[in-house]
Amino acid sequence: MNIASKNSILSLVIVLMIAGTCIQGCTEQKPVPGTIIDEQPDTQNIPSPSYTTNPGYTLDDARSVNQALLDTIQHELDIIDTGLSNDTAALAKTGLLSEQSLGLIRGVKNHSPYIQSPVLLDTNLKIIAVGSEEYPDIIGSDLSDQPHLNEVLRLKNPVMGNLTSTVEGIPAIPVSYPILVNGSVTGILSILIEQKEIFADAILISDRENRFEEFIMQPDGLILYDKDSIHTGKNIHTEPLYAKNPSFKEIAYRIGDERTGTGTYQMQNISSTNIFTKEAIWNTTGIHGGEWRVVVSRITT
C-alpha cells in the first residue's frame, strides 16, 4: 500500500474516534494503520444478523453507524477528487501526450487503492493513453456512447457516472475530469472506482460488530453493494426477488427521491417465510453530480 493510502486511513480512523462513532457494542481493539484494506476479511458473504436475530440496537445506534459510513466513503472520495483535480491541472500544462503526462497517468492509481483503469481521452472521446501498461489494446477505443463523458464536454466540469465495469468485468463507477486550457476542454482524464471494495471496506470500518444491515443504492433503485451478496447488482424496482416485499419496494422509491430520511418496511426472509419489520435510516454521499444512498437498517420486530 502506498504512503498516501496509509495516511488516508490513519486520518480517517482519527476522525471517527473524535466523532465518537464507537457506540454500544464496540470492542477495545483498534485498527492498525495501513492494514484495513490489505488484511481485513471480505465481509460480502457474511449474513447480516438482523435476518435472524433482534440484537436490540436503537435508531440512534443506526444513525451513528450511518454517519460513520457516510464519512468514511466521503473521505476516500475527497482524496480521489483532490488527486484527480491536481492531475488534470498538471496535464493542462504538460500537454496530453508528453512523457510527463504519460507518467502522470500511470501514477493516478497511487491516489487510492480503489482507483482502476485510468485513461486519457481526446475531445472525440477516444482513448489516447492508458495508465495501466497491460491494456495497450484499448487505445483508440471510442467511448462517445457514454453519457457522463458527453456531460463532461458540455459542462466543462467533472462528472460521476452510473455503474459500469472495468476491462476485467468488475463492477465500477466512472468519474471523469476535463483538462482545461484557456477555458476549453482539450481532453478528459477518466477513472473507475471499484465499488465492491470501497463499500465493503467502509462498512467494515463503520460497523465492526456487524450489528446492522447496510447497503448502498443509486437513486434509480440499483443496489451497488449489500453485505448479503444476493442483493448486490439488483434493482429493487424491477427485480422479481422483491416482488413479495411491496413495502420494501415502496421505501426504495422514498430512498431514491429523498436524500436523507427514515422509514419502516416489512421484509420476508429470502430463505424462509419469516417476515421482519425493519427501520431504515439513509443519507447521501457522492461527488460531481453522482449520488449514492447510504442505508443502514435494523430489525424492530
Side-chain angles (χ1 to χ4, degrees):
M1 179 180 294
N2 57 65
I3 293 174
S5 296
K6 291 184 179 179
N7 289 338
S8 164
I9 294 169
L10 179 57
S11 298
L12 175 59
V13 172
I14 292 172
V15 168
L16 294 182
M17 290 173 66
I18 293 174
T21 55
C22 187
I23 58 177
Q24 179 184 359
C26 286
T27 68
E28 290 301 317
Q29 183 178 1
K30 306 297 182 187
V32 178
T35 63
I36 292 175
I37 295 169
D38 290 340
E39 298 180 13
Q40 292 287 358
D42 183 349
T43 59
Q44 184 178 14
N45 294 312
I46 297 177
S48 178
S50 60
Y51 283 126
T52 56
T53 63
N54 185 357
Y57 296 110
T58 68
L59 181 62
D60 284 341
D61 295 332
R63 183 174 286 108
S64 294
V65 169
N66 182 270
Q67 188 61 54
L69 182 53
L70 194 76
D71 291 345
T72 303
I73 296 171
Q74 190 64 55
H75 181 81
E76 193 66 31
L77 289 178
D78 289 344
I79 289 172
I80 293 170
D81 187 45
T82 298
L84 271 290
S85 297
N86 291 338
D87 288 341
T88 52
L91 287 166
K93 296 177 180 178
T94 63
L96 297 188
L97 293 176
S98 66
E99 282 300 317
Q100 288 174 293
S101 69
L102 294 176
L104 277 169
I105 298 166
R106 295 187 188 106
V108 165
K109 292 179 70 173
N110 294 331
H111 297 311
S112 168
Y114 307 110
I115 291 177
Q116 298 291 328
S117 305
V119 296
L120 185 63
L121 302 101
D122 63 17
T123 53
N124 294 316
L125 302 183
K126 290 186 177 181
I127 297 175
I128 57 175
V130 296
S132 301
E133 295 181 354
E134 62 266 35
Y135 301 122
D137 54 322
I138 68 172
I139 293 176
S141 298
D142 186 347
L143 303 185
S144 59
D145 62 340
Q146 296 195 14
H148 86 282
L149 290 174
N150 286 282
E151 283 293 281
V152 174
L153 291 177
R154 184 178 70 85
L155 299 173
K156 299 182 181 181
N157 285 319
V159 176
M160 174 183 280
N162 288 330
L163 187 68
T164 181
S165 63
T166 66
V167 173
E168 301 88 351
I170 299 170
I173 296 102
V175 188
S176 301
Y177 292 72
I179 299 164
L180 297 172
V181 177
N182 297 324
S184 297
V185 179
T186 60
I188 294 175
L189 179 60
S190 186
I191 64 162
L192 296 173
I193 299 174
E194 191 173 347
Q195 53 95 18
K196 173 190 170 184
E197 295 301 326
I198 192 171
F199 297 140
D201 288 343
I203 289 171
L204 188 62
I205 292 169
S206 306
D207 186 15
R208 291 186 176 278
E209 299 302 310
N210 198 32
R211 293 162 290 172
F212 298 100
E213 294 175 20
E214 294 97 353
F215 65 90
I216 316 297
M217 190 188 88
Q218 286 183 174
D220 64 3
L222 180 66
I223 298 176
L224 296 173
Y225 181 80
D226 192 299
K227 281 199 296 190
D228 186 345
S229 61
I230 194 171
H231 301 289
T232 299
K234 304 291 195 305
N235 191 301
I236 299 170
H237 304 323
T238 60
E239 174 61 43
L241 179 68
Y242 307 113
K244 62 182 179 181
N245 294 294
S247 67
F248 180 55
K249 296 181 68 171
E250 181 178 342
I251 201 170
Y253 280 109
R254 278 194 59 203
I255 293 170
D257 293 339
E258 302 171 18
R259 299 186 82 250
T260 183
T262 60
T264 59
Y265 61 96
Q266 283 71 49
M267 192 77 170
Q268 182 173 336
N269 193 333
I270 293 172
S271 61
S272 73
T273 58
N274 295 331
I275 298 176
F276 299 103
T277 299
K278 300 181 181 183
E279 186 172 34
I281 179 168
W282 67 89
N283 217 315
T284 300
T285 188
I287 53 174
H288 301 307
E291 291 190 345
W292 300 332
R293 301 293 191 256
V294 177
V295 186
V296 176
S297 64
R298 69 184 188 97
I299 190 170
T300 60
T301 58

